[in-house]
Amino acid sequence: MYMDVLIKKLTLVFRPEDIYISVLLSSLNQIYSGVTTVCTFL
């Protein structure tokens, strides 16, 4: 239920640039923190 609300409301205001910046900053944070492996389960 949380994801349904999140997706329905936030996808209306997010732009592709917002997603790009968030992924970029998250990746840089992972590198800075010393993470060596990242797995995504979708």
Side-chain angles (χ1 to χ4, degrees):
M1 177 157 186
Y2 171 74
M3 289 303 290
D4 293 333
V5 173
L6 187 69
I7 290 170
K8 287 179 185 175
K9 293 194 181 223
L10 290 182
T11 55
L12 299 175
V13 295
F14 277 159
R15 300 170 300 163
E17 296 85 8
D18 298 329
I19 304 301
Y20 176 79
I21 294 291
S22 67
V23 170
L24 178 64
L25 292 176
S26 298
S27 300
L28 291 174
N29 187 44
Q30 293 291 331
I31 292 169
Y32 178 75
S33 299
V35 174
T36 58
T37 304
V38 177
C39 280
T40 59
F41 297 98
L42 298 177

